[in-house]
């Protein structure tokens, strides 16, 4: 069975964020992930992890004004300086909480910007970030997102992400493979895992439709868990889903 990490952005939302660390430990998790740490002092996050004997396995680079609908700035030509400053901030937080990998959200294609210019911007930003993170001992990940949930998102499919990784040309850039987003855009989950496991550094899950817990939709998660075990996947699987009812009931699939 894979190792699972609780996504504290999506799970235990009945509690204040900082209280979700203890809730994850009480539910049996050894590891956590979440979207962004930057709203909280890094010392407080590190203390919560230590107090609850939890490993943090992932968070994202700063992604612009999330509340205003931004979903990443890495492909935005007029935000390069902001992106580079965000890389330094993310490294600072990652070191404080001992997080081994950071995910980069590409963002939405800006109005009036050609795909070619957005691609060049994204490649340049990823080269910069991959190099900075390599010096810091941290892996860089990039994640395709489905366009049903985020219309206009620039990076949408696994083959596009893998071609992007080739173009960047860094051995410190990997694919974050979210099974829910991949199912919505392309399917072929087991085949993609088999062909590209060497480039996949982190996996996330949710069922489709609804982005709820495994067992509520069409994805055959028992099969995929066996498949991952057979492939020898050693990383974590992040539980990035919205419980259909309560978090407690939404964790029933793990039992």
């Amino acid at each position: 069975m894979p190792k699972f990490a609780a996504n504290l952005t999506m799970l235990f939302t009945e509690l204040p964020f900082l209280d979700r660390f203890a809730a994850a430990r009480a539910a049996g998790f050894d590891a956590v992930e979440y979207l962004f740490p930057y709203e909280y002092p890094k010392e407080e996050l590190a203390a919560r992890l230590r107090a609850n004997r939890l490993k943090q396995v992932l968070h994202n680079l700063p992604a612009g004004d999330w509340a205003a609908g931004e979903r990443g700035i890495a492909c935005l030509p007029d935000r390069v300086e902001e992106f580079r400053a965000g890389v330094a901030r993310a490294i600072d937080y990652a070191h404080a909480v001992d997080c081994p990998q950071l995910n980069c959200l590409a963002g939405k294609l800006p109005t009036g910007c050609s795909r070619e210019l957005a691609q060049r911007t994204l490649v340049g930003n990823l080269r910069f970030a991959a190099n900075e993170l390599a010096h810091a001992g941290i892996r860089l990940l990039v994640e395709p997102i489905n366009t049903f949930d985020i219309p206009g998102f620039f990076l949408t499919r696994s083959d596009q992400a893998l071609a992007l990784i080739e173009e960047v040309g860094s051995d410190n850039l990997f694919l974050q493979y979210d099974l829910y987003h991949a199912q919505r855009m392309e399917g072929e989950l087991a085949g993609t895992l088999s062909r590209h496991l060497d480039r996949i550094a982190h996996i996330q899950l949710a069922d489709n439709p609804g982005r709820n817990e495994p067992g509520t939709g069409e994805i055959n998660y028992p099969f995929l868990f066996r498949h991952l075990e057979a492939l020898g996947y050693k990383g974590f699987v992040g539980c990035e889903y919205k419980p259909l009812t309560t978090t407690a009931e939404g964790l029933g699939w793990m039992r």
Side-chain angles (χ1 to χ4, degrees):
M1 186 65 70
K3 301 178 294 184
F4 296 107
N7 186 291
L8 300 186
T9 303
M10 295 245 183
L11 300 181
F12 309 106
T13 56
E14 64 274 14
L15 299 171
F17 180 77
L18 292 175
D19 293 340
R20 297 176 196 173
F21 292 84
R25 166 52 68 183
F29 286 100
D30 299 317
V32 297
E33 62 176 37
Y34 41 82
L35 287 181
F36 306 107
Y38 311 109
E39 183 180 346
Y40 305 95
K42 56 183 182 290
E43 298 82 4
E44 179 64 26
L45 297 171
R48 299 281 173 150
L49 290 162
R50 287 193 304 270
N52 294 288
R53 306 182 313 281
L54 290 167
K55 177 180 178 61
Q56 183 165 325
V57 298
L58 182 77
H59 65 79
N60 293 323
L61 298 179
D65 190 341
W66 197 262
E70 291 187 330
R71 293 297 181 264
I73 59 172
C75 75
L76 279 58
D78 60 344
R79 306 281 286 276
V80 172
E81 289 187 9
E82 180 184 348
F83 177 85
R84 293 190 174 198
V87 170
R89 191 179 186 200
I91 290 171
D92 183 41
Y93 266 81
H95 280 164
V97 298
D98 197 24
C99 184
Q101 53 193 12
L102 297 171
N103 182 46
C104 177
L105 294 170
K108 302 175 186 177
L109 181 66
T111 302
C113 178
S114 69
R115 291 196 65 86
E116 291 76 17
L117 177 56
Q119 177 78 8
R120 289 198 301 272
T121 303
L122 180 57
V123 168
N125 279 334
L126 289 174
R127 281 180 181 154
F128 172 83
N131 184 62
E132 293 295 303
L133 267 63
H135 287 308
I138 301 167
R139 288 187 298 273
L140 177 63
L141 282 57
V142 66
E143 178 186 17
I145 303 288
N146 81 78
T147 54
F148 300 97
D149 288 4
I150 306 182
F153 200 80
F154 185 74
L155 188 64
T156 62
R157 298 177 61 88
S158 300
D159 56 358
Q160 181 191 2
L162 291 162
L164 174 65
I165 290 170
E166 284 293 312
E167 185 174 356
V168 170
S170 170
D171 60 3
N172 193 42
L173 180 59
F174 299 87
L175 176 64
Q176 177 168 305
Y177 190 59
D178 187 306
L179 296 161
Y180 165 74
H181 291 305
Q183 176 69 4
R184 296 213 72 180
M185 293 303 293
E186 63 198 34
E188 187 62 13
L189 304 179
T192 300
L193 290 166
S194 295
R195 288 191 298 273
H196 303 297
L197 193 67
D198 61 329
R199 298 308 300 166
I200 295 172
H202 190 67
I203 294 170
Q204 291 176 323
L205 63 76
D207 218 330
N208 183 59
R211 202 173 186 176
N212 305 126
E213 60 265 27
T216 58
E218 65 188 355
I219 301 175
N220 187 343
Y221 273 108
F223 167 79
L224 286 177
F225 295 153
R226 292 193 299 270
H227 185 60
L228 282 172
E229 187 171 21
L231 290 174
Y233 176 67
K234 302 300 184 185
F236 281 87
V237 176
C239 300
E240 193 185 44
Y241 63 83
K242 300 176 290 186
L244 188 60
T245 54
T246 66
T247 299
E249 291 186 3
L251 292 172
W253 63 274
M254 295 185 69
R255 295 189 290 271

